[in-house]
Amino acid sequence: MEEDQGMSNMGSYEEKIEQFSWEQAEQELGYQKDAMINIGYYCSDRICETGRAAKLALIWEGYSGEIKQYTFNDLRIHTNTIARFLQNLGIQAGDRICLFMDKIPELYFGFLGILKMGGIAQPLFSAFGGESLLTRLEDAQTIAIMTQKKHLGKVRKILPDIAFLKYVIVVDDDGSKPLQESEISFNLEKENPVENFETFPTTAETPSVLHYTSGTTGKPKGAQHVHYSLIAQYITSKFVLDLNNDDIYWCTADPGWVTGTSYGIIGPWANGITQCVLDAGFKAETWYKFIQDHKVTVWYSAPTAIRSLMKEGLEPIQKYNLTSLRHLCSVGEPLNAEAVIWSEAAYGLPFYDTFWQTETGSMMICNYPGMKIKPGSMGKPFPGITATVVDLKSHEPLQKPGVVGLIAIKPGWPSMFRNYWNNEATYKSKFIKGWYICGDRASIDEDGYFWFVGRDDDVINTGGHLVGPFEIESALLEHEAVAESAVVGKPDPVNMEVVKAFIALKPGFEASDMIKLQIMNFIRKRLSPLAMPQEIEFLDALPKTRSGKIMRRLLRAKEWGEEIGDTSTLEND
Ligand code: PRX
């Protein structure tokens, strides 16, 4: 699939590779080494200073169809107002402030407001249950949480268990339900707008965002980012999403996950682009209507959503005018060739796959407008990024095309995570022989295109969201009926993987559908709907290694119909 190169921001990929430098992005943003760089400022004040104050920054639509619009000047003032409010409470630069909200405007303003006052933003998915929330707030020693009335129940429940949390800020208090004494009401519409706020003088290495991500073992880890990440998020938005001044851009991701912040807040707004947000669940017709009504031109989504749209077929597409669309991108899971080919037939445009991670902070391996797409391939490294695949054991770069190894990236790109919060040992373990090892397997073909093979660990990717088996297994053990558990990913045609739990029950408990449902609900409430096992299989005992460890990989291999062979290779879990 070829496209006209001349029209895109990137132009020729080969030429860009030759000419590219991160300094170019710095210059475009007027950033000078060692000077102040603050994401909040760059996404609002700077856009106003460059003559775009009256331009629409955000078109927001709620689940009931209510629409709100905000200009870049509104964005500047609202983020100032939140920043000042947080400062007045006594919150200091460097403090962690959690955002625990649906995709309401306050989430977006709050994120930038926190950054403007020098705080570290910790966005968490609002569908998280109490335990998921508690683990992450405890780990980050979070001092404040900004939330909505509807999520207060979960927050109140865990409050007695968190020593550090001092401020519970309710952003949509309308007086209809009394708040508790310790809770603080904040209402953007009633607050005095702050016209001038002195942005905290953050510099390149000042921590900015803490995004929690799941691993195979242990608790979720907080990938710690810095304000300098802006350079990469800005330039990839320009070259990969191909954003231009007139675009209306829609990123479907929730800012509880990294796509929703790097490309649902920072990158596009630093480019002065109008963004749309739909605070409603997935439904094909709602999505198409949204694109039609707001004349979305650039759309960034995920394979699970694309496969769900494929399932709905062409009929709903024909009901809406989607001719505004001009560029489509995807992230989060392997984008199968069928989905690329289908989207070309359905929308007249292919989806361009992009590969990256919470840890990388910005896109790493992508397909670019103007570059030939090979459907099913993740594309090629972004200019300025050195990526390869290394041998699974020796970690030396593989020289031959087509051989499967681990995706590895040369450290030093601007948006690289700078640590895992409180967990430097794990952070360091990701760097081997001068490479950052992503934990994914892939091969590179003779033309330099990367082909994703799968993860190199047991982390489950369900609908583009990573869930850690360990976190679910630990939660399962808290259920009164569960003696042992092992959690694996099971193939799924739409979500790629869903969570499956193998459980051995305690004596006195009988396997039944009823107990399955109870356990599923238990996990949904404690952790999240994503972590909830879609399937539970009861076993008398779980397979174990000689040293007594549960052989999760053996169970996984069975689900995927893989040869089990010599089980000793499956033992090192
Ligand atoms: O396994 C890869 C998969 O998602 C992981 C990163 O997940 P997370 O940190 O939550 O960030 C997701 C959004 C940036 C990767 O290690 N992944 C991400 N993009 C792709 C992908 N797998 C295949 N193809 C992709 N394009």
Side-chain angles (χ1 to χ4, degrees):
M1 292 181 189
E2 307 256 8
E3 227 191 71
D4 182 3
Q5 303 197 336
M7 303 296 286
S8 70
N9 289 337
M10 167 82 88
S12 150
Y13 174 73
E14 282 71 27
E15 279 174 26
K16 195 54 86 195
I17 289 275
E18 296 294 315
Q19 303 155 353
F20 185 86
S21 71
W22 296 111
E23 285 73 24
Q24 183 199 333
E26 292 180 354
Q27 277 164 20
E28 285 186 24
L29 287 169
Y31 168 71
Q32 313 233 320
K33 283 230 179 315
D34 302 325
M36 174 181 135
I37 178 168
N38 183 289
I39 291 171
Y41 163 82
Y42 269 99
C43 289
S44 57
D45 302 64
R46 182 176 170 274
I47 304 302
C48 298
E49 287 164 12
T50 48
R52 291 168 284 179
K55 185 178 173 182
L56 273 186
L58 175 63
I59 305 172
W60 177 86
E61 188 174 320
Y63 57 88
S64 58
E66 176 193 10
I67 293 172
K68 292 183 182 174
Q69 300 194 336
Y70 302 88
T71 63
F72 276 98
N73 195 44
D74 296 331
L75 188 59
R76 183 182 68 79
I77 292 175
H78 291 331
T79 52
N80 282 352
T81 308
I82 292 179
R84 172 72 56 78
F85 180 83
L86 297 173
Q87 262 186 352
N88 286 348
L89 284 179
I91 296 174
Q92 308 276 319
D95 284 343
R96 275 74 61 208
I97 302 141
C98 171
L99 294 152
F100 190 57
M101 298 179 221
D102 297 352
K103 290 190 273 181
I104 58 171
E106 285 82 352
L107 171 59
Y108 298 80
F109 305 148
F111 181 83
L112 296 179
I114 292 169
L115 298 178
K116 273 190 173 176
M117 53 77 62
I120 302 178
Q122 182 192 17
L124 292 178
F125 190 39
S126 64
F128 274 157
E131 194 156 317
S132 292
L133 185 61
L134 176 66
T135 322
R136 291 157 176 84
L137 295 180
E138 264 183 337
D139 188 69
Q141 300 187 332
T142 307
I143 193 167
I145 183 166
M146 296 176 74
T147 191
Q148 292 166 268
K149 276 181 305 187
K150 66 193 278 197
H151 300 304
L152 265 180
K154 290 191 257 189
V155 177
R156 283 177 183 166
K157 244 190 186 159
I158 60 167
L159 211 55
D161 301 322
I162 334 177
F164 275 88
L165 196 72
K166 272 173 71 181
Y167 310 100
V168 176
I169 302 160
V170 185
V171 300
D172 59 350
D173 176 36
D174 54 5
S176 61
K177 270 195 203 149
L179 296 185
Q180 292 185 354
E181 213 178 303
S182 58
E183 293 162 355
I184 303 153
S185 171
F186 173 81
N187 190 321
L188 198 52
E189 276 152 31
K190 293 193 188 137
E191 206 63 34
N192 269 340
V194 174
E195 182 60 40
N196 296 307
F197 178 82
E198 200 171 322
T199 303
F200 188 85
T202 50
T203 52
E205 293 302 307
T206 309
S208 55
V209 184
L210 196 55
H211 263 300
Y212 275 77
T213 180
S214 297
T216 306
T217 53
K219 288 184 181 170
K221 305 175 293 284
Q224 185 199 310
H225 289 282
V226 295
H227 280 268
Y228 189 62
S229 71
L230 170 77
I231 300 297
Q233 290 148 348
Y234 162 80
I235 201 75
T236 47
S237 296
K238 182 169 168 182
F239 287 155
V240 187
L241 298 172
D242 195 41
L243 294 174
N244 283 310
N245 198 31
D246 297 336
D247 277 314
I248 307 285
Y249 165 72
W250 182 29
C251 170
T252 60
D254 187 301
W257 311 97
V258 73
T259 308
T261 56
S262 291
Y263 297 103
I265 301 182
I266 308 173
W269 276 341
N271 277 276
I273 301 299
T274 304
Q275 301 203 60
C276 294
V277 169
L278 175 62
D279 183 21
F282 173 81
K283 203 166 163 251
E285 294 225 4
T286 313
W287 278 32
Y288 291 145
K289 185 168 182 309
F290 185 76
I291 293 172
Q292 170 185 278
D293 290 354
H294 303 295
K295 300 192 173 55
V296 172
T297 57
V298 179
W299 182 19
Y300 196 22
S301 199
T304 290
I306 300 163
R307 286 191 291 268
S308 305
L309 292 167
M310 272 171 84
K311 254 177 70 182
E312 303 285 329
L314 298 178
E315 208 189 305
I317 299 178
Q318 280 144 14
K319 287 198 210 161
Y320 297 92
N321 180 355
L322 307 181
T323 50
S324 56
L325 289 173
R326 70 167 186 86
H327 186 45
L328 321 180
C329 294
S330 165
V331 65
E333 316 149 59
L335 180 65
N336 38 322
E338 299 76 36
V340 179
I341 294 162
W342 177 82
S343 95
E344 173 105 64
Y347 312 118
L349 300 165
F351 267 93
Y352 285 69
D353 194 13
T354 66
F355 167 90
W356 56 291
Q357 302 181 305
T358 304
E359 286 85 344
T360 69
S362 68
M363 299 163 174
M364 295 286 108
I365 299 168
C366 312
N367 291 282
Y368 310 94
M371 189 179 90
K372 178 180 170 224
I373 293 189
K374 294 192 187 186
S377 157
M378 306 194 300
K380 296 187 179 188
F382 184 75
I385 297 295
T386 306
T388 189
V389 294
V390 298
D391 184 78
L392 297 172
K393 290 212 170 84
S394 72
H395 296 103
E396 294 297 342
L398 291 167
Q399 305 302 337
K400 270 208 213 131
V403 184
V404 175
L406 298 170
I407 303 178
I409 301 167
K410 262 274 164 286
W413 69 97
S415 62
M416 189 178 90
F417 70 136
R418 300 300 201 262
N419 209 344
Y420 286 124
W421 193 258
N422 274 337
N423 195 347
E424 194 161 7
T426 309
Y427 172 75
K428 285 195 169 147
S429 73
K430 301 272 172 176
F431 296 87
I432 304 176
K433 294 198 173 162
W435 295 98
Y436 164 67
I437 308 290
C438 292
D440 289 299
R441 294 183 180 202
S443 65
I444 306 177
D445 71 16
E446 55 290 344
D447 300 322
Y449 283 74
F450 283 61
W451 296 80
F452 188 81
V453 173
R455 285 198 59 96
D456 189 49
D457 57 20
D458 292 342
V459 172
I460 301 162
N461 188 333
T462 180
H465 299 298
L466 301 188
V467 293
F470 178 78
E471 206 182 358
I472 308 174
E473 288 162 1
S474 310
L476 281 169
L477 292 181
E478 286 170 34
H479 189 279
E480 55 172 7
V482 178
E484 287 179 337
S485 73
V487 165
V488 301
K490 175 188 156 77
D492 182 83
V494 173
N495 290 294
M496 190 172 98
E497 285 182 282
V498 290
V499 173
K500 174 164 181 180
F502 292 89
I503 290 175
L505 290 171
K506 283 186 185 156
F509 290 92
E510 289 270 321
S512 70
D513 284 348
M514 183 64 125
I515 203 159
K516 269 189 195 171
L517 280 179
Q518 261 183 19
I519 295 174
M520 286 175 179
N521 249 327
F522 180 80
I523 298 299
R524 186 176 60 78
K525 282 206 175 136
R526 292 209 154 202
L527 298 181
S528 73
L530 296 171
M532 183 184 84
Q534 302 284 326
E535 198 176 309
I536 291 180
E537 188 174 327
F538 293 112
L539 299 175
D540 291 338
L542 298 183
K544 299 209 185 69
T545 62
R546 264 166 261 117
S547 59
K549 269 174 108 185
I550 292 171
M551 290 170 76
R552 196 195 276 142
R553 290 204 181 157
L554 183 104
L555 296 165
R556 187 182 188 280
K558 275 194 194 152
E559 291 304 315
W560 289 79
E562 288 165 2
E563 271 306 309
I564 297 164
D566 175 9
T567 53
S568 63
T569 57
L570 296 160
E571 287 193 11
N572 54 345
D573 210 51

